[in-house]
Amino acid sequence: MVEDDVELSKVIAGEKACELLTSISELKVIGIGTGSTVKKFIETCLHFLKKHKAVASSPDTVIFAKEHGIHVLDPLTVDELDAYVDGADEVSSKLDMVKGRGGALLREKTLAYMSRNRIYIVDYTKYTGKEYLYAKPIPVEIAPMTLNYVLRAIERIGLFEPIIRTGGGKDGPVITDNGNYIIDLKPLKPLLNPREVHYELKSLHGVIETGLFPSEELVDTVIVGYPGKATIFHRK
Ligand code: 5RP
């Protein structure tokens, strides 16, 4: 079944990430991202993770890691991370990525910037093999009272259809772990230059962070899991 294949591919990517971590010298503090693939990684790599200290990119991961007996530190007590492992929503052949389906993009990006080894684990459905990003909406975290200003400004840019993220547990906009709103930007055409688009969006008043992760700034390694193997891409 296709769903089983995807779940198995997540496990295989997580196992490979665990293997990679063991080869990193002086590994003390590990950053752990958010999402279902990361949870598989925590489960498959538990023995190793329990011997280290961790920082998590969301309360969801803090709770899950703590339940599994991992020592989780407050990010404010840490200056840098030796490695960071996270999932992604879309990965291009240039290893540019879209992240933030789970709304944790701001903290995820912070931990990625703080880390000297950024490793992303995805199942094969996330790796498009295309040079551009286009498949998934780009989440953008904004200050709540700037909503209408940002929506109009994004419409003027003309590259996206903006959709306010709403969802489970309450009516109206989703509130992030940082007390902000998220707008999902559906690309109207392929994004050939995600880094420039990221900085254009970031320059808008009210935008706090985007879910665009340009490879040259935030990606070292991507592990793509398949039902029977994992392919590892290193940024050139
Ligand atoms: C959360 C994220 C996740 O890492 C991304 O959405 C992948 O999640 P999953 O492994 O569940 O597909 O960016 O904000």
Side-chain angles (χ1 to χ4, degrees):
M1 224 181 96
V2 175
E3 209 174 294
D4 291 344
D5 281 355
V6 171
E7 292 310 301
L8 176 60
S9 304
K10 291 179 187 184
V11 174
I12 288 177
E15 283 171 355
K16 210 23 123 190
C18 194
E19 221 177 284
L20 216 70
L21 286 182
T22 60
S23 69
I24 296 173
S25 58
E26 308 261 339
L27 192 69
K28 293 188 196 84
V29 185
I30 302 168
I32 307 179
T34 299
S36 58
T37 317
V38 161
K39 285 185 172 141
K40 301 273 187 221
F41 160 73
I42 291 173
E43 283 166 349
T44 58
C45 202
L46 194 56
H47 184 66
F48 183 79
L49 292 174
K50 277 182 163 176
K51 290 191 219 149
H52 295 81
K53 294 194 171 97
V55 172
S57 70
S58 63
D60 187 44
T61 302
V62 172
I63 292 164
F64 192 81
K66 211 170 140 276
E67 276 170 4
H68 283 75
I70 296 170
H71 185 163
V72 187
L73 301 174
D74 183 328
L76 287 179
T77 65
V78 171
D79 292 324
E80 59 176 22
L81 304 174
D82 303 303
Y84 179 59
V85 179
D86 199 355
D89 300 310
E90 179 180 356
V91 182
S92 76
S93 62
K94 294 179 169 173
L95 307 186
D96 293 315
M97 304 191 317
V98 176
K99 285 184 50 53
R101 173 208 51 79
L105 56 144
L106 173 60
R107 297 184 189 204
E108 290 175 335
K109 204 175 264 194
T110 305
L111 296 191
Y113 273 124
M114 287 170 75
S115 174
R116 63 183 169 94
N117 281 293
R118 287 78 52 95
I119 303 165
Y120 299 89
I121 46 176
V122 294
D123 68 72
Y124 61 94
T125 65
K126 312 278 188 63
Y127 180 74
T128 64
K130 311 266 197 251
E131 288 202 342
Y132 50 80
L133 295 171
Y134 187 45
K136 296 285 168 67
I138 318 298
V140 173
E141 182 156 350
I142 65 161
M145 73 84 66
T146 67
L147 177 67
N148 290 336
Y149 172 79
V150 175
L151 286 174
R152 299 294 88 76
I154 284 170
E155 277 163 11
R156 275 195 297 277
I157 292 175
L159 279 178
F160 303 101
E161 179 194 341
I163 299 157
I164 301 166
R165 191 181 292 189
T166 56
K170 90 179 252 305
D171 295 338
V174 161
I175 308 292
T176 70
D177 296 332
N178 317 300
N180 298 313
Y181 290 173
I182 289 186
I183 311 173
D184 288 307
L185 306 185
K186 191 168 172 289
L188 299 174
K189 52 186 173 191
L191 302 186
L192 295 162
N193 49 357
R195 188 166 182 264
E196 281 166 39
V197 174
H198 160 72
Y199 281 110
E200 184 173 7
L201 291 170
K202 263 255 10 204
S203 72
L204 300 177
H205 168 73
V207 169
I208 294 165
E209 194 47 84
T210 86
L212 286 168
F213 280 51
S215 65
E216 61 266 59
E217 288 188 21
L218 289 160
V219 181
D220 297 305
T221 304
V222 176
I223 302 172
V224 183
Y226 296 83
K229 64 167 188 178
T231 304
I232 304 185
F233 297 98
H234 295 288
R235 185 170 50 84
K236 293 178 190 90

